[in-house]
Amino acid sequence: MRALLVVITLGLGCSEKNRTTDTRSTTIPTAKQRASFLCAYALCASSVKDAAFHVVFHDNSGSLLSGPDDSDIRAVVLVDKDDLEKWTRSCTPARVEARPDWLEEIAKGTTLMPKSAPDGYRCGAEQRAIHVKDGLIVRRVLTQ
């Protein structure tokens, strides 16, 4: 009976879908699908019109000794300019790179390359460069 309980417990612990991924936005065909995918991995403060990204996410919840997830999410998102204030809530002003070295690769072939100077913020494990004039947010979520 005790062995059966252990097997059931282990089975329940492994029943959740593993969310591990290494995905680039170039593999997702529509703006709506790109926005939905990104916001499933890096919560979004408002609706997103389009996004360019590279999401590396390791789901560490699928074993008996689960731990926090590891992620390196690099993205630029387009939002309504009226929603930009929502992206600063619970954040503190910070110095961040206006155009990190990975931005050009991610935004290549899109209209999502910022042209204006940003305001920088730190929001927990995330850095955000908010380009108000462009309606763009350059995001980096790094945990490990």
Side-chain angles (χ1 to χ4, degrees), residues 61-72:
S61 66
S63 68
L64 187 57
L65 299 173
S66 62
D69 299 324
D70 298 319
S71 63
D72 186 357

Side-chain angles (χ1 to χ4, degrees), residues 37-53:
F37 182 89
L38 177 64
C39 293
Y41 284 92
L43 296 178
C44 295
S46 71
S47 61
V48 171
K49 293 175 163 181
D50 199 358
F53 55 80

